[in-house]
Amino acid sequence: MDEKKISKAVINRLPRYYRYLGDLLEKDVVRISSKELSEMMSVTASQIRQDLNNFGGFGQQGYGYNVDYLYAEIGKILGLDKQHNIIIIGAGNLGQALANYADFERRGFTLKSLFDIDPKLIGNEIRGIKIRPIDELESYMKENYVDIAAITVPRFNASEIANNLAKWGIKAMWNFAPTDLNLPKDIVVENVHLAESLLRLSFRLSSNKSN
Amino acid sequence: MDEKKISKAVINRLPRYYRYLGDLLEKDVVRISSKELSEMMSVTASQIRQDLNNFGGFGQQGYGYNVDYLYAEIGKILGLDKQHNIIIIGAGNLGQALANYADFERRGFTLKSLFDIDPKLIGNEIRGIKIRPIDELESYMKENYVDIAAITVPRFNASEIANNLAKWGIKAMWNFAPTDLNLPKDIVVENVHLAESLLRLSFRLSSNKSN
């Protein structure tokens, strides 16, 4: 499989396929046609066939897709067959929300540590994982293998922390700080800008009203 | 200005322009050229000119954009000149993180109430706003004007709550539950699917490694 051929639009849709297939698995559904999947997902059946054909076409005419197999294959494409170590920088409400999201564990993301600057938080445990002082981040990064750092610190701290993490060998950042991180190209940055999402909602709400 | 003409791609970029212009305002920058803005935002100057021309072209040749004016105009387009009442359904870590995000208040989103099912949370206050039992949601919706509901409840509760809110007159939902809400077309739904964002990160991390 040549990953470079798969368009960004298809990649962006894969996590949604993965979610629906996971739901079907939980309901013990063994196979599903592109038509059924299409109705569930409100996507055309031809789009589903086209998307899934990118991965060698796991479906069979008249039989449909094997849910278990397709789930596992998409999981592999998404890199979920590997274990990922994750740390969270910023153990406030948002950091704690991420730390408590047990689904991540199930998908191979192992929370290794949290870091914060607030003495009231340092030493506390979340799901048995201790919150460390941010001063220990450098030594922690040198002594441990970390793939992903979730950044939930305020905007004005985020860039410095991100630059340091890059220097200390982080592979990817899941950035919740409302700022754009300027990092070397080989570091993956996935942004979740909550404020921008709310502004898009506001725009749509306000154009709705004026219709 | 005819909003319908503006492409979705431009709309999606507006919150980012708004953020950068807000940063400039904080630094007391009065005007900025498309070239300077382009360097800050890592977008071509011609894209910036094209995007901002959608709104009547606030820039002047050789003078640049008036930051304050452009910020206010984009704010109006985003509906930020209006007040929006928001409630949060689910007062766990994520709901509390949203409730504590003071920036929303500054942009005209007023948090009116939080609702939860957990007796340990009910009655607690966040920034002076009381967490109410979810049983009171219906009467609350009938007695108060609410524009936006942020949904931070678990997946299996989200659809029922969303359907009820739709029935009780909600205008928009900011959905954090990892499920697709099927609601009447006139209700705006903005999804923030954290798990999908992490899976996209995982995909890019795993294709990075294999390069």
Side-chain angles (χ1 to χ4, degrees):
Chain A
M1 182 192 62
D2 184 356
E3 277 167 359
K4 286 177 197 95
K5 275 184 192 164
I6 304 171
S7 79
K8 211 182 154 193
V10 176
I11 297 304
N12 280 336
R13 286 195 287 268
L14 280 188
R16 190 160 176 261
Y17 283 116
Y18 192 74
R19 171 157 57 86
Y20 273 88
L21 291 164
D23 288 351
L24 288 169
L25 269 185
E26 273 181 24
K27 289 177 195 149
D28 295 319
V29 176
V30 173
R31 59 196 201 204
I32 191 159
S33 67
S34 50
K35 188 165 169 290
E36 289 166 305
L37 198 53
S38 135
E39 280 159 12
M40 282 175 58
M41 296 183 65
S42 307
V43 174
T44 65
S46 88
Q47 166 145 88
I48 287 178
R49 283 191 297 268
Q50 232 171 54
D51 282 354
L52 300 182
N53 274 347
N54 275 293
F55 314 109
F58 308 118
Q60 265 177 277
Q61 195 76 39
Y63 173 88
Y65 296 98
N66 178 317
V67 175
D68 194 26
Y69 179 74
L70 190 54
Y71 182 76
E73 287 301 309
I74 293 184
K76 274 185 222 163
I77 293 160
L78 293 172
L80 302 178
D81 52 334
K82 297 158 206 141
Q83 192 64 31
H84 291 109
N85 289 340
I86 181 163
I87 58 173
I88 297 175
I89 319 293
N93 283 313
L94 183 55
Q96 291 188 32
L98 299 180
N100 279 313
Y101 200 5
D103 254 25
F104 293 158
E105 211 84 343
R106 214 160 49 91
R107 284 166 186 181
F109 300 92
T110 310
L111 178 62
K112 301 301 275 188
S113 193
L114 297 103
F115 294 85
D116 208 283
I117 203 168
D118 183 351
K120 283 193 293 259
L121 292 173
I122 292 165
N124 287 358
E125 290 192 356
I126 298 172
R127 294 202 293 132
I129 298 150
K130 202 180 274 183
I131 303 175
R132 296 167 204 254
I134 195 120
D135 300 341
E136 291 179 12
L137 184 55
E138 180 168 9
S139 60
Y140 184 90
M141 286 295 293
K142 286 181 180 162
E143 287 157 23
N144 296 275
Y145 184 84
V146 183
D147 303 278
I148 303 167
I151 314 279
T152 70
V153 299
R155 186 170 57 124
F156 43 91
N157 295 326
S159 295
E160 192 191 335
I161 289 174
N163 289 337
N164 281 331
L165 283 167
K167 211 162 54 189
W168 301 331
I170 202 78
K171 302 281 175 294
M173 287 190 220
W174 198 20
N175 176 41
F176 290 79
T179 190
D180 295 321
L181 305 174
N182 291 311
L183 295 167
K185 287 272 176 252
D186 59 329
I187 295 176
V188 172
V189 180
E190 174 79 19
N191 291 305
V192 181
H193 287 326
L194 295 180
E196 295 192 8
S197 165
L198 186 59
L199 297 194
R200 278 192 294 272
L201 181 153
S202 169
F203 170 81
R204 291 168 56 205
L205 189 56
S206 108
S207 13
N208 239 9
K209 273 181 189 160
S210 58
N211 281 348
Chain B
M1 182 193 61
D2 184 357
E3 277 168 1
K4 285 179 200 93
K5 274 186 193 163
I6 304 171
S7 79
K8 212 184 153 191
V10 176
I11 297 305
N12 280 334
R13 286 195 287 269
L14 280 188
R16 191 160 175 261
Y17 284 114
Y18 193 73
R19 171 157 58 86
Y20 273 88
L21 291 164
D23 288 351
L24 288 168
L25 270 185
E26 273 181 25
K27 290 177 194 147
D28 295 319
V29 176
V30 174
R31 59 195 200 206
I32 190 159
S33 67
S34 50
K35 189 167 167 289
E36 289 167 304
L37 198 54
S38 136
E39 279 159 14
M40 282 175 57
M41 294 183 67
S42 306
V43 173
T44 64
S46 88
Q47 166 144 88
I48 286 178
R49 284 190 297 268
Q50 231 170 56
D51 282 354
L52 299 182
N53 274 347
N54 275 293
F55 313 108
F58 308 116
Q60 265 177 277
Q61 196 77 37
Y63 173 89
Y65 296 99
N66 179 318
V67 175
D68 195 26
Y69 178 75
L70 189 54
Y71 182 77
E73 286 301 310
I74 293 185
K76 274 186 221 162
I77 293 161
L78 291 172
L80 302 179
D81 52 334
K82 296 156 207 144
Q83 192 66 29
H84 292 109
N85 289 342
I86 181 164
I87 59 172
I88 297 176
I89 319 292
N93 282 312
L94 183 56
Q96 291 188 32
L98 299 180
N100 279 312
Y101 200 5
D103 253 25
F104 294 157
E105 211 82 345
R106 213 160 50 93
R107 284 166 185 182
F109 300 92
T110 309
L111 178 62
K112 300 303 275 189
S113 192
L114 297 103
F115 293 85
D116 206 284
I117 203 169
D118 183 352
K120 282 193 296 257
L121 293 172
I122 293 165
N124 287 358
E125 289 192 357
I126 298 173
R127 294 203 290 132
I129 298 149
K130 201 179 276 182
I131 303 174
R132 295 167 203 253
I134 194 119
D135 300 341
E136 292 179 10
L137 183 54
E138 179 168 9
S139 60
Y140 184 90
M141 286 294 295
K142 286 180 179 162
E143 287 157 23
N144 296 276
Y145 184 84
V146 183
D147 303 279
I148 303 167
I151 314 279
T152 70
V153 300
R155 184 171 58 123
F156 44 91
N157 295 327
S159 294
E160 193 192 333
I161 289 173
N163 290 336
N164 281 331
L165 283 166
K167 209 161 57 188
W168 300 332
I170 201 79
K171 302 281 176 293
M173 288 191 218
W174 198 20
N175 176 40
F176 290 80
T179 191
D180 296 322
L181 305 175
N182 292 310
L183 295 167
K185 288 271 176 254
D186 60 328
I187 295 176
V188 172
V189 180
E190 174 79 19
N191 291 305
V192 181
H193 287 326
L194 295 180
E196 295 192 9
S197 164
L198 186 58
L199 298 193
R200 277 192 294 274
L201 181 153
S202 170
F203 170 81
R204 289 169 58 206
L205 190 55
S206 106
S207 15
N208 240 9
K209 272 182 188 161
S210 59
N211 281 349

